[in-house]
Amino acid sequence: MLASHCLCTNLRRAARGVSRHYDGALDGFGINVAQYSLLCNLQRLDQPSISSLADAMGLDRSTLGRNLRVLEGEGLVRLVEGDDLRNRLVLLTDAGKERLAAALPAWEAAQQKLIDKLGVEKRETLLALLDELA
């Protein structure tokens, strides 16, 4: 791999490596790390609108919409009309909750492996730095 001093290049390279790590852990559950994150956020937010979910995840609505259609097709989420007919709500289905619960131990193991690699102090520093950049 070519060395680079470019922050963007190195962050993107690291993000791809971390995504591969988590995707490998989630292999066999029928979801990738982006979908797992989306399902987790749905569980935390409890029936958010598409707009509020996009804001919470830092995604644009079109990217979120594409991801939601895949999960909806698999029966893991359901889109329903909100109070305002222009506003759709996203619900985590029972199948989505079950898939999330089944994948949680694999995700936790992947998380712990990275924490063990970095150490707790570096993990906290990394999270703080990433928060500054976000």
Side-chain angles (χ1 to χ4, degrees), residues 41-42 45-53 88-91:
N41 279 291
L42 277 174
L45 295 172
D46 189 35
Q47 301 182 14
S49 68
I50 291 176
S51 295
S52 63
L53 181 59
R88 298 181 80 193
L89 302 178
V90 187
L91 295 103

Side-chain angles (χ1 to χ4, degrees), residues 15-36:
R16 286 190 300 271
V18 169
S19 290
R20 278 192 304 273
H21 173 74
Y22 282 96
D23 281 340
L26 295 171
D27 196 32
F29 293 98
I31 54 175
N32 61 34
V33 69
Q35 294 164 335
Y36 180 85

Side-chain angles (χ1 to χ4, degrees), residues 7-70:
L7 291 174
C8 183
T9 298
N10 283 289
L11 281 169
R12 290 174 57 93
R13 183 181 300 154
R16 286 190 300 271
V18 169
S19 290
R20 278 192 304 273
H21 173 74
Y22 282 96
D23 281 340
L26 295 171
D27 196 32
F29 293 98
I31 54 175
N32 61 34
V33 69
Q35 294 164 335
Y36 180 85
S37 175
L38 204 160
L39 294 173
C40 284
N41 279 291
L42 277 174
Q43 190 171 50
R44 278 189 287 245
L45 295 172
D46 189 35
Q47 301 182 14
S49 68
I50 291 176
S51 295
S52 63
L53 181 59
D55 288 344
M57 295 187 69
L59 297 172
D60 61 69
R61 285 177 51 99
S62 62
T63 300
L64 177 61
R66 284 190 298 276
N67 291 328
L68 286 173
R69 279 191 291 281
V70 171

Side-chain angles (χ1 to χ4, degrees), residues 125-134:
T125 300
L126 178 59
L127 289 174
L129 290 169
L130 292 171
D131 192 48
E132 278 185 50
L133 293 174

